[in-house]
Each structure stands twice: as C-alpha cells, then as structure tokens.
Amino acid sequence: MNEMWSEGIGGEIKSVSISPEGSYIAVGTASVGGLHLYSRDGEHLWTHPTGCSVFGSAVSSDGEYIVMGSEYVRVFNLEGEIEWQWDSGYFAYSVAITPDGAYIAVGSDDKSVTLLEYGEGKIWRYELPDDPTCVDLSADGQYVVAGTDGQVYLLDGDGELVWEIDVGKGVQSVAIAPDGTSIAAGTLDYRSHLISKEGEILWRYMTNNRVFGVALSENGDVVTGSHDDHLYIINGDGDRILETETSGHINDVDVSSDGSVVVAGTGNGDQHLILYERATQEMTEPEPTEPEPTAVIETIENIGENVSEELTASTMPAAAVKEESYLSLKFTGLTDTASPLYALAAGIVVIASAAYLGHRRRR
C-alpha cells in the first residue's frame, strides 16, 4: 500500500466512503458534526455542517449523489447542494447507495432497515430485534445486508429475509460485494469475517483489536480496518496479502470497485482521512541473452583393433575447447578431403619405407 495523502479532519471520523471508480471520498464526523467531500487527489471540495454526528455516508458513481446519514437522510450533488431529503423521524446510523443513485438503504435507531427509491421515498421497511449499526447495498439494489449486536442479516430486493447468521460479538461494519456473491463483517471480537451469499461463514481473520471497518472489492478482497492501528487486505481464501500501519485507530474503511484505491478514517484523537493506492508489480520479459560461442570438435570413433576412418562432429562451448588434450586436437582435419600437404607427406613416408625394405631384401 502506498499512502498518497493524509488530511486532518478536526473531528472524530465515523464513516468514510468512496465512489465506485475512486474519484470522490465522503467523510462523516462526530464531535464537530459534518459531512465532508474530497477529491481523489486530496482536495477538500466542501463541508456541510450538521451540529450532530454523521454516522453514515455513501457516494454514487462519479460523485453524482452523496448521501449523509444523520438526523435526516440527505442527498447532495457534487457542488454540495441538497438535492433530496428523507425523514423517518429517527436517527440514521448507516446509509448505502447504488452506483447509479437509484436506491438508498438506511439503518435507523428504530430497529429497522429501509430501502428508498431516490426522489420517491420508502419501498419497504424491515424490523430487526436490535438497532442496525451498519448496512450495505448490492450494486443492482437487489440485496441489502445489515448488522446488529451479533447478527448479520441478508434481505432481498422485496424486503424479505434471506438468512440471518450469528457471527460473534458486536457487528460494527458490513459490506456486500458489488455482484452480491459475498458479504464481509467486522466485529468487536477482533475479527473480520467473509460470508457466502448462501449464509456460510467462509473464513474469519483475527486482528489485534476491534474491527470497525470492512469493505469488499470486485475481486473478493476484504479491506479491514482495526483499532490495532493497522489496515489489512485479505483475499477471498482468507490469506492476508497486504498490511500497513496507520497513525491511529481505524473507525471505517472503503475501497474502489477495482480495489486500486483504499480510504481509511481514524479517530480517538488522531482524526485523519488517509488515501492509499495499491502498489502494482509489472511483469517484464527477460532480456534475450547472446548464445555462447561454440566450436566444432571432430573426434574419431571406434578406435580399437579395427580402426575406422569415419569421423563424427560434436558441438561444445568454445571455453571447453581449451580443455581438450593435444592428442584429441591433433586429429582435427583428418577427413576424406584432407589437404594435399598431408597426402604428400604420407606418400613420402610410404616410398621411403618401401625403398628401405627393398634395400634390406637385396642385402
């Protein structure tokens, strides 16, 4: 992870969210009370003061809609102007929006989850045994996930319960994959969980403190922010693939759809918004190497009682040529096309031998 920038907010961060393509970041704060919008390069675009805590924030594609969960559910445009507002009469703890801005999920302190259609209002409302601390919404709006004290709930597009599962102590954050195939949950018992669409817990990852933020990218990586001052990325198999230390306790995290940009918000005195970019490793083709020079060494085969004049050639590195003995090298060039000098020398030797033998016979 490469930390690109860090910005002091001036209030304890309760929620962070990033647009699917990673262009805009919304931040909700507690002590000062406000919704803040930043660009990817760290430019502060605007702040909307509320006078009360903003526990939920969400951003649609390209920052077209920015949603705030507080005493009201408010939708802003990119310039910070209120476009639409919905009031349930209860405090909104968490909000989520589809990339196209058509649907908004709200978790309220009246123990309910509500699905809204932007500009129209309530589609359905589902009551829970406890207040939902967190909600999320699939990209097509067909699934809503919510977390309470120790339970995670999956609801379909009609507001019907698909399943309910006990994951442990105090669910603080939930996230659903853009395609709805998996759900992540962060809990007070130091764990990050991955759950299948069918409600099976696939794995649990233990950190060193409470987990207040989880997010899911398209490829199934789970971004986890813990109060142990560390940010983790865990792949779909439950293996930690990245870890980085932060300047304080992480209260919330989010990730762009492709996983290339991660944002984290810290609290408890530190109060910083931090943007990271995933480091990539480019694979390069190795440089071609020049082949080692070779020399052709001709050797005589079947040297024995019946000497054969057939010669064969073997190829070896030039460096090895120096290691060949003088005996093996002196036969080089003895082929059917031997030079005339060798032939003349051989003839002289034959004539001289014959003359010597004839001289001995005459004697």
Side-chain angles (χ1 to χ4, degrees), residues 204-227:
R204 294 182 174 96
Y205 183 86
M206 175 74 78
T207 70
N208 294 309
N209 211 312
R210 296 169 292 177
V211 175
F212 276 83
V214 292
L216 265 168
S217 60
E218 288 177 342
N219 67 356
D221 288 347
V222 179
V223 180
T224 299
S226 172
H227 270 209

Side-chain angles (χ1 to χ4, degrees), residues 76-142:
F76 301 83
N77 61 24
L78 194 55
E79 287 71 39
E81 301 165 339
I82 299 175
E83 294 283 333
W84 187 66
Q85 179 174 298
W86 182 76
D87 182 12
S88 69
Y90 294 89
F91 200 93
Y93 281 141
S94 183
V95 293
I97 190 170
T98 54
D100 61 3
Y103 300 101
I104 300 168
V106 182
S108 305
D109 68 350
D110 64 343
K111 300 180 181 180
S112 73
V113 175
T114 304
L115 183 67
L116 305 175
E117 183 178 359
Y118 171 71
E120 298 296 330
K122 181 176 70 175
I123 299 175
W124 53 255
R125 178 179 178 272
Y126 186 88
E127 291 189 9
L128 299 170
D130 299 293
D131 288 339
T133 54
C134 45
V135 297
D136 200 12
L137 188 58
S138 63
D140 59 5
Q142 293 303 303

Side-chain angles (χ1 to χ4, degrees), residues 4-238:
M4 306 308 294
W5 54 264
S6 177
E7 177 76 12
I9 301 298
E12 183 181 4
I13 295 174
K14 287 299 184 182
S15 68
V16 296
S17 54
I18 190 168
S19 57
E21 79 292 338
S23 299
Y24 297 97
I25 303 101
V27 184
T29 57
S31 55
V32 175
L35 180 70
H36 312 262
L37 187 69
Y38 287 83
S39 66
R40 178 171 174 167
D41 60 8
E43 180 186 0
H44 177 250
L45 301 177
W46 51 260
T47 294
H48 176 80
T50 58
C52 59
S53 296
V54 176
F55 285 101
S57 63
V59 188
S60 69
S61 294
D62 299 317
E64 184 175 4
Y65 302 103
I66 300 98
V67 185
M68 177 189 76
S70 187
E71 59 181 339
Y72 304 105
V73 174
R74 285 177 173 159
V75 180
F76 301 83
N77 61 24
L78 194 55
E79 287 71 39
E81 301 165 339
I82 299 175
E83 294 283 333
W84 187 66
Q85 179 174 298
W86 182 76
D87 182 12
S88 69
Y90 294 89
F91 200 93
Y93 281 141
S94 183
V95 293
I97 190 170
T98 54
D100 61 3
Y103 300 101
I104 300 168
V106 182
S108 305
D109 68 350
D110 64 343
K111 300 180 181 180
S112 73
V113 175
T114 304
L115 183 67
L116 305 175
E117 183 178 359
Y118 171 71
E120 298 296 330
K122 181 176 70 175
I123 299 175
W124 53 255
R125 178 179 178 272
Y126 186 88
E127 291 189 9
L128 299 170
D130 299 293
D131 288 339
T133 54
C134 45
V135 297
D136 200 12
L137 188 58
S138 63
D140 59 5
Q142 293 303 303
Y143 292 98
V144 177
V145 60
T148 62
D149 181 48
Q151 307 294 117
V152 173
Y153 301 84
L154 183 67
L155 308 169
D156 65 18
D158 297 322
E160 299 294 329
L161 180 66
V162 178
W163 50 253
E164 169 191 349
I165 187 170
D166 187 351
V167 295
K169 180 181 177 182
V171 180
Q172 299 301 302
S173 180
V174 291
I176 187 167
D179 60 3
T181 55
S182 58
I183 295 97
T187 54
L188 294 179
D189 57 2
Y190 300 11
R191 290 180 171 89
S192 177
H193 313 253
L194 186 67
I195 308 165
S196 70
K197 184 179 177 180
E198 293 71 34
E200 176 189 1
I201 297 178
L202 302 176
W203 51 256
R204 294 182 174 96
Y205 183 86
M206 175 74 78
T207 70
N208 294 309
N209 211 312
R210 296 169 292 177
V211 175
F212 276 83
V214 292
L216 265 168
S217 60
E218 288 177 342
N219 67 356
D221 288 347
V222 179
V223 180
T224 299
S226 172
H227 270 209
D228 65 4
D229 301 356
H230 281 78
L231 181 73
Y232 305 87
I233 297 182
I234 306 155
N235 67 18
D237 296 323

